[in-house]
Amino acid sequence: MSQYQKNHLGIYKLIYNGFKNEIALENHIAEKLSKPKGFVPFKVLQFSSIFLRPGFFYFAFIYALCFFVVLLQFVIGVLFFGFCLIRVFTLPKSKKNLIITSKSYRDIMSDAISQLNLSQNDFVNASIYNLIFLVKKNRLINYFFFLIGFTRYAIINSDYLFVFLLNYKDLLKLYLLSVYITDNPEVVVLTEDHYQRFAFIISNLGCLNFVIVQHGYIDDSVKFPSRFGKIDKLLLRDIQFLKSFEIYYKVNSHSILLRNTALIFSDKNVRASCFLASSSPFIDSEIKFAQIFKNKFDAKLIVKRHPKHVYNREKLKVLLSFADEEWTDAFHFPNSSLFISHGSFLEFDYKSAGTFTFKLSDFSNVEAIFEDPSFKKAMILLNNKQKS
């Protein structure tokens, strides 16, 4: 277990340091977003305007939430004593490899498993439910004692306890994950987690087959208080990101992730088109691009708004007025031969399909992109496809 001993104290330190790193990451995000003084660095709270004006009710809510998540963990610990009696008759038949991801990245995980020449059937989602049935039953009984010891360890060592306790919502899952990998270090653990608590903990567990799949840009400027461990295999979207991962991890091996384009693109034939992936903070430059594009070229322009962004209605109306089609398919993207964004990571999916891709952020102004030789070449090919 690298620098962490294979006992409860070692897991205390490991999960504790994972929480410390998570808080450091949240503070880093808060600084970037210029959050006000008194802001609590916690994922659930950072996106709500209700929590941006600290006051009596604000802190009352935080403390009540801390009490609830800790109490819930203790209740679960007690229930495990009874649950273990049931577990005797429902032991898992074999070990399973683990996937730690969200629903948004299931397709990426599927591509990674295929590239690793492994069977999809050998993997299960690392949910609490699945982990309960995978770990040894004595590990479930020990969770109650672990919880008491870990809480004591956190109270003694933490300088920001109430923020720390909010992370207890993941404590059970992290405990089950840690003991399962400790007991079965040869299992394959696959995640698209870059540097959150799950990746930190697994990288320090001595897992022999830990695989990270890159899903987006990586911020290599975060200052973490605790060191990350080892990645056995890193699947990158582009080799340029390797150095960023190596700032945090010891990377044993790496390769480029090969995407299955059938899972990414729609079967609707719109190859002779330009696809603009919109992002609301940069809509002004997108409007300018769309206007110049339609004035210069008689080519189809497809626009897709970012599904999680809030748009200025009037500006969105202007942008869509230049579009020949607004893309509304929530699961696939158009197979256009030209891809434009301000800086979307979706660019790498289009690159893997041999598509011309351009970022508005790479140019000093919007007009400059139309003078770029590669862009001119892309437009010649697009026009030829439109005529054929």
Side-chain angles (χ1 to χ4, degrees), residues 12 47 50 55 125 169-170 203 259 288 325 349 370:
Y12 294 163
F47 299 109
I50 298 172
N125 181 35
K169 73 179 185 66
D170 287 324
S203 71
R259 293 302 316 274
K288 196 166 189 179
E325 180 181 349
D349 284 328
F370 293 93

Side-chain angles (χ1 to χ4, degrees), residues 80-93 132-138 140-141:
F80 272 176
F81 281 102
F83 185 80
C84 283
L85 297 176
I86 302 173
R87 264 292 312 278
V88 171
F89 304 103
T90 55
L91 290 173
K93 294 181 180 179
I132 285 173
F133 283 92
L134 286 171
V135 301
K136 297 175 182 177
K137 65 177 182 295
N138 67 303
L140 293 178
I141 297 173

Side-chain angles (χ1 to χ4, degrees), residues 97-134:
N97 297 326
L98 301 177
I99 298 175
I100 304 172
T101 189
S102 62
K103 291 181 180 179
S104 305
Y105 302 112
R106 292 287 172 82
D107 289 345
I108 291 179
M109 295 294 103
S110 178
D111 287 346
I113 292 171
S114 297
Q115 187 169 332
L116 294 168
N117 293 319
L118 298 172
S119 170
Q120 305 279 348
N121 294 330
D122 290 338
F123 284 83
V124 295
N125 181 35
S127 64
I128 290 177
Y129 177 82
N130 284 333
L131 287 168
I132 285 173
F133 283 92
L134 286 171

Side-chain angles (χ1 to χ4, degrees), residues 124-185:
V124 295
N125 181 35
S127 64
I128 290 177
Y129 177 82
N130 284 333
L131 287 168
I132 285 173
F133 283 92
L134 286 171
V135 301
K136 297 175 182 177
K137 65 177 182 295
N138 67 303
R139 292 296 199 176
L140 293 178
I141 297 173
N142 286 338
Y143 175 68
F144 182 70
F145 302 105
F146 165 83
L147 183 59
I148 295 172
F150 181 79
T151 303
R152 178 178 178 276
Y153 185 88
I155 291 171
I156 293 173
N157 291 281
S158 182
D159 295 327
Y160 27 75
L161 186 61
F162 77 98
V163 177
F164 190 88
L165 292 179
L166 287 171
N167 287 281
Y168 262 53
K169 73 179 185 66
D170 287 324
L171 185 58
L172 173 58
K173 184 173 182 177
L174 291 172
Y175 168 80
L176 294 173
L177 185 66
S178 298
V179 297
Y180 180 66
I181 294 173
T182 299
D183 293 339
N184 305 281

